[in-house]
Each structure stands twice: as structure tokens, then as C-alpha cells.
Amino acid sequence: MRKSGKIAASALARSLENIKPGVVELEVDKIAEREIYKLGGDLSYKTVPGYKYATCITVNEEVVHGIPTDREFIKNDLVSVDLAVMYKGWHTDCAWTKLIGKDREKEKFLQIGEQALWEATGQAMAGNRIGDISAAIQKRVEGAGYNVVRSLVGHGVGRSLHENPQIPGVGAAGRGMVLKEGMTLAIEVIYTRGREEVVLGSDGWTFKTADGSWGGLFEMTVIVGSKQAEVLTDWRKV
Ligand code: MF3
Ligand code: CO
């Protein structure tokens, strides 16, 4: 899973650096795919029935599970890339949201999501509970006046892309399953600037906010440690 995570992190880094005005979503998907294959990985999303891309790409009011299209990125887009890798049968999953250009409100929105993610991964240590992770996300996101999407969750990850337990972005500290050293989790911060309700788009995959407000997505795969989590998919370190 460490090797799988390194491949995922590299693919995410390559994807993010190529998100700019005039580039189309499908080009970024291809860049991620090429990087994953180049490093000896395989596409985890191929294990999802009916899905045949390396990534999910979502823009602005889209929240998750966006099929890469031929839409061109433009200035001020908020763009999320979500991708997963399979290496020797071991899956890792990660996502990040990037702003094209400069915008105070959007930068603040992203900064809170990222902060919520690191605070949540900081809870992934033995003896803590799933609720500690959820509560960390909820506190940071709602504390800034944003909302956590209730219907979408993080998850266990390993031999399959999606495993138990579910990891909601809202919950009570001290509640839920006790974490043990060596568990591998995909911790996800899925949030909106407005109301938390999401609706499924006409393509049957893409979830968007019901009120048209921005969506943000930050996800890392971690190993629960005795004292701290080991982050496997940190694209900033590749
Ligand atoms: N990466 C997504 C998650 O975090 C899963 C996307 S599955 C797909 O769970 F089929 F929509 F790509
Ligand atoms: Co995930």
C-alpha cells in the first residue's frame, strides 16, 4: 500500500500541475492514467462496475464522482481531482481541490477543507475512534460556516477500493469503532459552501450541490499508527 500510495500521490501531483485555463478534463485524466501506468500501477477505478477512467474530475458546484469530459478549464474554476491506484492488488485513494487563479473567498474555502483533512488524519491513531475523525472534520468545516455533505463518506481501503468502516464527516468524538494500528483508511472531507444536500446529475455519476454552491473535496489514504497516522498519498512530497 505504501508503493500504491506513492504512485497515487505522483499521479495527483501531475494532474494538479496540469490544471490550467484551456486544458480539458479528459487531458488531465490521461495524464493521471499515464503516470499510474508508468510507475507500474493499475487503475483502481476499473474495479468499479461501469467506470472506465483513471480519475473523477469535478468543477465548481460539482462535488464528487464527476466523469472527465471535454470541458475546458477556465480562470476561477475550483477543480477537484479524485483518483485511486491499484498496485499488486492493493488500493489507495486520494483527492485534492485546486483553484485556477486568485480569489479570496475560494482560497479561504479550500484552506478550511485542507485544514480539516490534516486535523482528521491527525486523529487516525490507535485507541481513537472513527468518531474522533468525523468530529475533527465537522468542527473545522462547520466552524468556518461551511457544511459537510452527509450522504457521502470516507471508507476503509486496502484489498478493495471501498471497505468498512464508513467514515462520515460528521459525528461525535469518542464514538464508533476503535482504531487499531495498521488499519488503512481513506479519510475524505466532502463539503460545500452552502447547503449540504447533493443531487445526482443526468450523467448518472456526478453529484452536485442542490443549491449550486461550491463543493470541495480533500482525501488521503493513511495507515493508523500507534502515535500518529502515516499518510500514504501526500502529493506535496513527491
Ligand atoms: N474515489 C471515490 C471515493 O473516494 C470513488 C470513485 S468511484 C468512481 O470513494 F467510480 F466514481 F470513480
Ligand atoms: Co474515497
Side-chain angles (χ1 to χ4, degrees):
M1 285 189 71
R2 288 189 175 103
K3 171 80 180 180
S4 175
K6 280 219 165 79
I7 298 171
S10 296
L12 189 55
R14 289 289 89 75
S15 303
L16 292 169
E17 78 194 26
N18 281 286
I19 291 171
K20 16 185 170 199
V23 174
V24 306
E25 293 176 9
L26 277 163
E27 290 175 321
V28 171
D29 182 73
K30 277 292 157 206
I31 287 163
E33 180 181 293
R34 252 186 272 124
E35 184 75 3
I36 292 168
Y37 286 143
K38 189 181 100 188
L39 298 174
D42 207 342
L43 307 184
S44 165
Y45 286 178
K46 282 200 305 202
T47 66
V48 176
Y51 204 78
K52 54 182 198 300
Y53 299 95
T55 67
C56 294
I57 299 182
T58 45
V59 180
N60 300 327
E61 77 285 358
E62 297 172 348
V63 183
V64 293
H65 299 175
I67 302 177
T69 69
D70 58 5
R71 180 190 182 279
E72 263 186 27
F73 298 118
I74 54 174
K75 195 159 165 281
N76 289 324
D77 272 348
L78 277 172
V79 184
S80 307
V81 178
D82 188 353
L83 63 86
V85 165
M86 181 166 60
Y87 177 75
K88 296 193 177 170
W90 295 95
H91 298 251
T92 53
D93 190 4
C94 54
W96 206 263
T97 307
K98 169 182 168 164
L99 168 65
I100 302 178
K102 283 214 176 322
D103 178 298
R104 270 260 169 95
E105 272 304 303
K106 289 178 181 173
E107 280 159 18
K108 186 194 161 211
F109 179 68
L110 295 186
Q111 187 229 318
I112 294 294
E114 180 180 352
Q115 203 178 345
L117 175 68
W118 298 128
E119 287 165 359
T121 61
Q123 294 295 323
M125 52 198 175
N128 274 5
R129 291 170 180 263
I130 292 293
D132 294 310
I133 296 173
S134 306
I137 296 171
Q138 182 171 17
K139 187 170 166 220
R140 179 58 56 196
V141 170
E142 293 184 355
Y146 306 132
N147 286 296
V148 176
V149 175
R150 304 297 208 262
S151 57
L152 299 163
V153 295
H155 49 92
V157 61
R159 273 293 181 196
S160 308
L161 174 59
H162 294 128
E163 298 183 354
N164 286 328
Q166 291 197 346
I167 311 174
V170 296
R175 301 287 292 272
M177 189 178 142
V178 178
L179 303 178
K180 296 200 179 100
E181 193 175 349
M183 285 178 171
T184 45
L185 308 174
I187 296 176
E188 307 198 32
V189 177
I190 309 166
Y191 67 114
T192 64
R193 183 168 186 243
R195 285 174 39 216
E196 65 90 12
E197 287 84 2
V198 292
V199 291
L200 187 59
S202 53
D203 62 8
W205 287 96
T206 315
F207 284 94
K208 323 172 187 217
T209 58
D211 65 3
S213 70
W214 310 326
L217 178 63
F218 290 90
E219 174 179 25
M220 287 284 128
T221 294
V222 306
I223 308 179
V224 173
S226 61
K227 294 208 177 60
Q228 59 175 16
E230 179 180 340
V231 180
L232 300 186
T233 52
D234 194 347
W235 65 273
R236 304 167 313 169
K237 295 188 175 150
V238 297

